[in-house]
């Protein structure tokens, strides 16, 4: 499984876009990039995943660089409820079933 | 619809006692996963079930830990002779199938405290 590197923490202003970076320079061709978040005292929540194309859903957008060595999760209009630890995970999608959560980025949205 | 539920939400037990933690996955989800999260730490994978079988038990920390799943639904994680280092939040997740394991739905967890 590819190792991911994320900043320890970041702040963002309510109503502004939050851009969360993730490096996965050793990612292999069949490994996807997944993002989860964990709000305090809750279980993790799936956000989005992608292989090489950019992806968008109702929660966020995922931008993956052409060389796939890094990606950015974008929360378009951050709210106070988006304060959480955000995990970037790079895993294969064929025989892998367990998610390897690292330390993640603690995102604090401030009013 | 109903999400993943876990019980109890909190459990305090004395060192050396056995505990059972229960997970009810989302109806129709064939894959079920157990993780644990120690205070301030990331999630540690324990075991996963596809149906009632557990192809990979390598994440279980010791032979004091066991898990079973019956009827392709409810799962129980049992910790025998609990130790203080077992104190953690035990999280259960389910997915429609193991091939869709990227989208796991997590329960709220059981906070286990061993005194």
């Amino acid at each position: 499984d590819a190792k991911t590197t994320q900043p320890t923490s970041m702040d963002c202003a309510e109503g502004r876009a939050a851009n969360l970076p993730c490096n996965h320079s050793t990612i292999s061709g069949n490994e996807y990039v997944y993002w989860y978040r964990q709000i305090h005292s809750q279980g993790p929540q799936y956000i989005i995943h992608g292989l090489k194309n950019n992806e968008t859903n109702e929660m966020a957008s995922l931008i993956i660089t052409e060389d796939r060595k890094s990606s950015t999760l974008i929360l378009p209009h951050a709210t106070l409820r988006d304060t959480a630890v955000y995990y970037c995970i790079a895993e294969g999608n064929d025989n892998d079933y367990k998610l390897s959560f690292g330390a993640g980025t603690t995102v604090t949205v401030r009013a | 619809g109903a999400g993943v539920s876990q019980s109890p939400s909190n459990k305090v037990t004395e060192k050396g006692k056995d505990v059972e933690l229960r997970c009810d996955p989302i109806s129709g989800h064939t894959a079920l996963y157990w993780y644990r999260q120690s205070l301030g730490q990331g999630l540690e994978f324990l075991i996963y079930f596809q149906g009632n079988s557990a192809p990979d038990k390598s994440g279980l920390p010791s032979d004091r830990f066991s898990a079973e799943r019956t009827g392709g639904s409810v799962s129980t994680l049992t910790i025998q002779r609990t130790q203080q280092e077992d104190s953690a939040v035990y999280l259960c997740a389910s997915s429609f199938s193991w091939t869709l394991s990227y989208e796991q739905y997590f329960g709220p967890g059981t906070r286990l405290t061993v005194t």
Side-chain angles (χ1 to χ4, degrees):
Chain A
D1 301 333
K3 176 181 168 56
T4 61
T5 305
Q6 301 177 250
T8 303
S9 64
M10 62 184 294
D11 287 2
C12 65
E14 186 180 23
R16 305 295 292 271
N19 297 296
L20 283 61
C22 179
N23 285 319
H24 31 79
S25 58
T26 61
I27 195 169
S28 63
N30 68 340
E31 289 182 321
Y32 284 67
V33 179
Y34 310 111
W35 283 84
Y36 276 72
R37 73 179 183 183
Q38 188 172 22
I39 295 170
H40 183 62
S41 297
Q42 297 183 21
Q45 176 189 24
Y46 165 82
I47 300 174
I48 199 167
H49 77 286
L51 183 62
K52 51 184 176 183
N53 296 324
N54 297 336
E55 302 288 343
T56 295
N57 63 20
E58 65 277 7
M59 290 184 67
S61 295
L62 175 61
I63 308 298
I64 303 174
T65 57
E66 192 168 343
D67 63 8
R68 302 208 326 121
K69 294 183 184 301
S70 66
S71 60
T72 301
L73 180 75
I74 301 173
L75 307 177
H77 305 286
T79 71
L80 299 179
R81 289 190 301 272
D82 292 322
T83 293
V85 179
Y86 287 77
Y87 298 98
C88 170
I89 301 165
E91 301 270 357
N93 199 36
D94 45 9
N95 292 318
D96 279 343
Y97 41 81
K98 53 189 170 185
L99 299 174
S100 301
F101 290 81
T105 297
T106 299
V107 174
T108 304
V109 180
R110 302 192 185 279
Chain B
V4 177
S5 61
Q6 294 185 245
S7 60
S9 56
N10 280 286
K11 176 71 176 178
V12 180
T13 190
E14 292 180 353
K15 177 181 172 182
K17 295 287 180 68
D18 297 352
V19 295
E20 282 190 354
L21 312 180
R22 177 187 169 107
C23 172
D24 283 86
I26 292 173
S27 178
H29 280 195
T30 62
L32 184 148
Y33 316 80
W34 283 98
Y35 297 81
R36 75 174 177 182
Q37 187 170 31
S38 302
L39 186 62
Q41 302 297 310
L43 277 77
E44 174 189 4
F45 168 80
L46 299 178
I47 189 171
Y48 108 100
F49 288 89
Q50 179 59 23
N52 292 334
S53 66
D56 183 359
K57 304 179 182 180
S58 63
L60 295 177
S62 75
D63 58 8
R64 296 186 294 106
F65 287 71
S66 63
E68 66 174 11
R69 188 179 185 198
T70 56
S73 181
V74 173
S75 176
T76 302
L77 178 69
T78 301
I79 309 173
Q80 296 179 311
R81 305 180 303 282
T82 52
Q83 304 294 312
Q84 288 186 329
E85 61 263 28
D86 299 334
S87 296
V89 176
Y90 288 81
L91 290 155
C92 174
S94 69
S95 66
F96 186 73
S97 76
W98 71 267
T99 58
L100 296 175
S101 60
Y102 60 82
E103 190 168 353
Q104 296 182 19
Y105 294 84
F106 283 79
T110 293
R111 181 175 298 278
L112 176 65
T113 304
V114 182
T115 61

